[in-house]
Amino acid sequence: MAGVLQRFEQRLEGAVTGAFARAFRSAVQPVEIASAIQREIDNSAHVLSRQRMLVPNDFTVELSSPDYERLAPFGVTLQNELAVLVQEHVDEQRYTLAGPLAIALEETPQLHTGRFRVRSRTNASVTPVRGQRMTETAVRRSSVVLEVNGLKHPLEPPGVVIGRGSDADLRIDDPGISRRHAEIKVHTSGDVTSVTITDLGSTNGVVLNGHRVQTASVTNNSEIRLGNTTVVIRTSGEGA
C-alpha cells in the first residue's frame, strides 16, 4: 500500500505547477484522499469466489466548499492520478472492479475545511437492448420499465434475457452476473400486463425482494438482485 501511495505522490509532483502546489496547501491533501480511497476499497471488498474479491468502481470525494474551490481547477489531473492509484492498488491486491472506474469531486457545503468523505458504489456498465428506444416518451408509454444503475429501459413482450455475455439482450458488465443470468418475461392479456422472472441456471442466483427464486411473478417496485446489481421493475406505466 505504501508503494502505491508513494508512486501517486511522485506522479502528482511531476504534474504540479506553482499554482497547483499552492492549491494543495489547502487543508485537504491529495495523499489523504488517495489513502481514504484505498481504505474504502479494502473495507468494501467482498468475496465472489475463492480467488476473486469484488470492489467498488464508482467513487465520489465530498469536499468542503473552500477545499473544493482550491482543488476543482485541477480536478482532471487529480482524478486521473487517483484513477491510476486505484488501478495499481486493485492489481496489487488482485481485486476485481465491479465495472468501469469513475472518480468525481463533489462540493459539500456542510463539511468544514479540512474534512472530506469518500463514497463508493458498485456500478456496472449497462448496454441497452438492441433496437430498443430509450427516449423519455418510450419510457412513459411503456407499461413495464426496468431501472438499472440510473437508466430506465422500457420493456415490451416477450421480454429480455439479462446477462454479461454478448448474446444477452440486456448486458450488464457485472462480474457477479452470468453470461445468461435471468429472463424477464412480459405477458399481456387485453389490458392486463404481468411480469415474471426466471433464473437461467446462473452461478449466483436471482434474489427477488430479498428471497432467492427460480421462477416468480414480479410486481410494481420489485427489487431484483443479480450478482452485485439491483434491478427495479416499474409496472402500469409508473416508470416515468
Side-chain angles (χ1 to χ4, degrees):
M1 181 179 294
V4 172
L5 286 173
Q6 186 176 31
R7 290 195 295 272
F8 169 78
E9 286 189 295
Q10 290 171 345
R11 285 193 304 267
L12 207 53
E13 286 173 0
V16 164
T17 64
F20 202 8
R22 286 193 297 273
F24 280 171
R25 293 193 187 114
S26 61
V28 172
Q29 300 296 315
V31 70
E32 293 178 296
I33 296 174
S35 180
I37 290 178
Q38 280 191 337
R39 288 195 302 272
E40 180 69 16
I41 290 172
D42 293 336
N43 292 338
S44 301
H46 68 273
V47 177
L48 280 179
S49 63
R50 181 175 297 178
Q51 297 181 333
R52 298 178 72 197
M53 294 189 69
L54 187 76
V55 296
N57 63 302
D58 192 319
F59 301 89
T60 299
V61 181
E62 298 181 346
L63 296 162
S64 68
S65 294
D67 286 316
Y68 180 82
E69 289 172 7
R70 292 185 182 97
L71 300 181
F74 313 100
V76 173
T77 299
L78 179 57
Q79 287 163 262
N80 288 343
E81 292 303 332
L82 287 170
V84 173
L85 172 135
V86 169
Q87 192 62 59
E88 287 184 348
H89 185 58
V90 166
D91 292 343
E92 287 190 1
Q93 300 300 318
R94 298 184 180 180
Y95 291 145
T96 298
L97 285 170
L101 185 60
I103 300 176
L105 305 181
E106 182 177 285
E107 181 179 9
T108 305
Q110 294 82 3
L111 290 175
H112 297 295
T113 302
R115 305 287 294 178
F116 70 95
R117 289 192 296 257
V118 173
R119 291 188 288 107
S120 68
R121 61 176 180 167
T122 57
N123 192 15
S125 63
V126 181
T127 303
V129 178
R130 288 182 290 273
Q132 181 68 272
R133 300 188 67 183
M134 300 286 292
T135 64
E136 291 185 12
T137 300
V139 170
R140 285 196 301 270
R141 290 179 176 175
S142 180
S143 60
V144 181
V145 173
L146 182 154
E147 291 186 19
V148 53
N149 291 346
L151 298 177
K152 297 181 179 181
H153 306 262
L155 298 186
E156 302 296 336
V160 294
V161 170
I162 301 175
R164 188 166 45 87
S166 58
D167 58 340
D169 299 316
L170 183 68
R171 291 182 60 192
I172 302 178
D173 188 21
D174 178 336
I177 290 180
S178 299
R179 294 183 61 82
R180 287 173 58 87
H181 196 107
E183 182 177 21
I184 295 179
K185 289 186 177 180
V186 179
H187 315 266
T188 58
S189 179
D191 295 331
V192 178
T193 299
S194 59
V195 182
T196 59
I197 186 165
T198 300
D199 186 343
L200 298 179
S202 66
T203 300
N204 294 315
V206 172
V207 177
L208 174 63
N209 296 326
H211 302 282
R212 186 159 179 164
V213 299
Q214 178 57 43
T215 298
S217 296
V218 179
T219 56
N220 185 42
N221 295 326
S222 289
E223 291 191 356
I224 302 166
R225 187 76 173 175
L226 307 175
N228 306 283
T229 300
T230 298
V231 175
V232 180
I233 298 290
R234 312 290 189 193
T235 62
S236 301
E238 296 182 24

